[in-house]
Amino acid sequence: MRLTLQALISHGRVARKMGLGPESRINMLRNILTGLVRHERIETTQARADEVRFYAEKLVDYAKKGDTDEKAMKMANFWLTEKDLIPKLFKVLAPRFENQSNGYTRMARLPNRQNLDRAKMAVLEYKGNPFPPLYPVKKENELSLINQLLKGYREERAQQLADKA
Amino acid sequence: RSVMAACAKGLDRCILSLRLLRNVKLQHERFLSTSLCHLAAGNSSQQPPKFIPPSKPVIVDKTQKVASLRKFLSPEFIPPRQRTDPVKFSMERKDMVRRRKVLNIPEFYAGSILAVTMADPCASGKTNRFVGICIQRGGKGLGATFILRNIIDGQGIEICYDLYSPRIQTIEVLKLEKRLDDNLMYLRDALPEYSTVDLGMKPVPFSPTGEVPVNKLKVKMRPKPWSKRWERPKFNIQGIRFDLSLTPEKMEHAQKWAQPWQEYDMLKEYDTSTLEEQILSEVQREMSK
């Protein structure tokens, strides 16, 4: 007789199940986080990106505490498997987000993967990265006919106002 | 009787023994002094010696008069990490402060020895008193509980009391101390001497300022099997002498269940420092009103 429904009910569970178990989940997230810190923009499945987002922001919060803080160094040492990224975290990423208190990452959806699984993909990046923006700003063409006419109209109005005054 | 026997042997021996007995604290001092005076007056031909009253006992009041001056917030005030409205917690805190103004709930930790008197319709005198070690403090808000453990007549007894129950009349801390763990459930599998508390124990005085004393006692266990596998790292118990009951191979085997990534998992962290300070100032303000 099953007396507990613990396995079936997930009230208040925040962590998704990924991989082979809790250890595998943490290892996978560690690898993705290391890749994110190295390249500052990565594309993965939507679920993994969503999980890593939380850990990425918390890691930056720890990095802000400083190089000398023991706990921060332990966390950075654990989460970044490639150890040449630890100085990058403390010296590049932490000063970049000095004035912000949250929201260091941006996530955007991508078209589904072309493989058989058609998995939902997403792009995850740290704000302030050197790449061109994910949502490119469309610049209107100044030399089109309508824009030129509008420009002339605005100049005439400005001249009329200046003559009246 | 011993005085009479001594006097029957000789006069000076009688006076010597009287002097010695006068220095020793005896129960029936009044009886002794009158008999001394009688015998001394009867036997000696000199004037009767001046009556020296026995020294009065010095009464030291060891009960806790002054409230604790430590900055202590009871753990049931801190709300758990949930998606509920904070209004619920603030309303609960108001009710908790109202109850605390009527009944003084002192500061105590797991490992301190408490005495609780509760209203009981079936007991003679309508109250019953239980003394024991606090092994666990659980629950949040008004449903906060603590479990007292004691061994009476060879039978282990644990009673779980509600802190804010209207049946509770007094809670006294007989001995304030902390132990190496927050949860002393392993005392069920420990030797009974570690859970026995004298029912007529007198309160041990403790200072209202300064650090709470930590009792670094390591408890000896009964032979296995235990109710829970206390050697496993998930319980993280510091207060058991494992070297007496487990071989090093078994300790290493228990480490197989260790989850070293858990201490680095940021999702599981719940930082309560700012919340604690807020709630502490709020509660202190309400209590002083």
Side-chain angles (χ1 to χ4, degrees), chain B:
Chain B
R1 227 183 278 155
S2 59
V3 172
M4 306 263 197
C7 285
K9 286 188 187 168
L11 173 62
D12 37 0
R13 218 198 260 176
C14 161
I15 294 178
L16 236 172
S17 60
L18 287 173
R19 263 201 217 118
L20 284 167
L21 285 161
R22 207 181 282 139
N23 294 338
V24 170
K25 269 195 212 156
L26 286 169
Q27 259 188 348
H28 307 290
E29 275 176 307
R30 251 186 256 143
F31 170 74
L32 199 63
S33 55
T34 49
S35 66
L36 282 169
C37 289
H38 258 288
L39 290 159
N43 288 349
S44 62
S45 53
Q46 306 152 358
Q47 291 164 344
K50 201 171 144 206
F51 170 67
I52 301 164
S55 55
K56 285 226 161 76
V58 179
I59 303 169
V60 174
D61 190 6
K62 289 188 178 170
T63 53
Q64 195 68 10
K65 283 279 154 69
V66 188
S68 169
L69 292 170
R70 275 173 283 262
K71 271 200 160 176
F72 174 70
L73 182 67
S74 225
E76 69 264 6
F77 278 105
I78 302 164
R81 203 157 63 138
Q82 273 178 358
R83 277 172 57 179
T84 52
D85 207 345
V87 171
K88 182 233 182 192
F89 298 122
S90 62
M91 278 170 49
E92 240 186 350
R93 252 175 277 141
K94 273 204 325 212
D95 284 333
M96 281 150 81
V97 164
R98 263 181 84 184
R99 175 68 186 159
R100 273 184 185 244
K101 286 189 181 163
V102 177
L103 166 72
N104 170 40
I105 298 175
E107 164 192 7
F108 66 98
Y109 304 88
S112 349
I113 299 176
L114 305 190
V116 173
T117 52
M118 192 167 74
D120 187 2
C122 316
S124 60
K126 300 292 178 198
T127 54
N128 66 17
R129 183 172 189 263
F130 187 71
V131 178
I133 282 190
C134 173
I135 54 176
Q136 179 187 284
R137 281 189 82 161
K140 297 281 179 197
L142 286 167
T145 56
F146 62 100
I147 305 181
L148 294 184
R149 178 179 169 83
N150 203 346
I151 299 189
I152 297 176
D153 288 342
Q155 172 66 48
I157 296 180
E158 285 181 14
I159 306 187
C160 177
Y161 291 102
D162 283 321
L163 266 178
Y164 296 97
S165 162
R167 278 176 74 187
I168 293 190
Q169 289 166 353
T170 47
I171 305 178
E172 302 147 10
V173 176
L174 299 177
K175 189 171 186 194
L176 180 71
E177 66 174 7
K178 279 199 220 189
R179 294 275 210 129
L180 291 167
D181 317 294
D182 280 331
N183 205 310
L184 301 174
M185 287 295 189
Y186 55 81
L187 289 178
R188 291 173 182 166
D189 297 313
L191 297 173
E193 64 200 29
Y194 295 101
S195 314
T196 34
V197 176
D198 183 22
L199 286 170
M201 185 171 150
K202 301 287 173 204
V204 167
F206 52 89
S207 71
T209 51
E211 295 264 330
V212 177
V214 178
N215 188 358
K216 303 214 165 140
L217 175 66
K218 293 226 168 186
V219 147
K220 294 186 192 157
M221 304 291 276
R222 285 211 281 257
K224 274 198 143 190
W226 296 330
S227 59
K228 293 243 185 281
R229 293 173 215 253
W230 302 113
E231 72 274 10
R232 296 233 171 136
K234 84 170 192 195
F235 294 110
N236 192 21
I237 289 181
Q238 308 295 323
I240 296 183
R241 283 212 62 184
F242 287 116
D243 46 332
L244 292 177
S245 27
L246 291 175
T247 58
E249 289 88 30
K250 288 208 170 163
M251 291 298 293
E252 275 191 42
H253 180 69
Q255 292 301 317
K256 265 173 69 174
W257 280 268
Q259 296 181 323
W261 62 86
Q262 252 189 1
E263 64 163 300
Y264 299 107
D265 193 353
M266 301 177 247
L267 204 59
K268 299 213 167 23
E269 278 166 22
Y270 183 32
D271 188 22
T272 53
S273 43
T274 42
L275 208 58
E276 254 193 55
E277 282 163 29
Q278 250 181 12
I279 295 175
L280 181 64
S281 54
E282 187 190 321
V283 164
Q284 276 174 345
R285 239 184 302 132
E286 296 288 314
M287 288 293 285
S288 52
K289 276 188 194 165

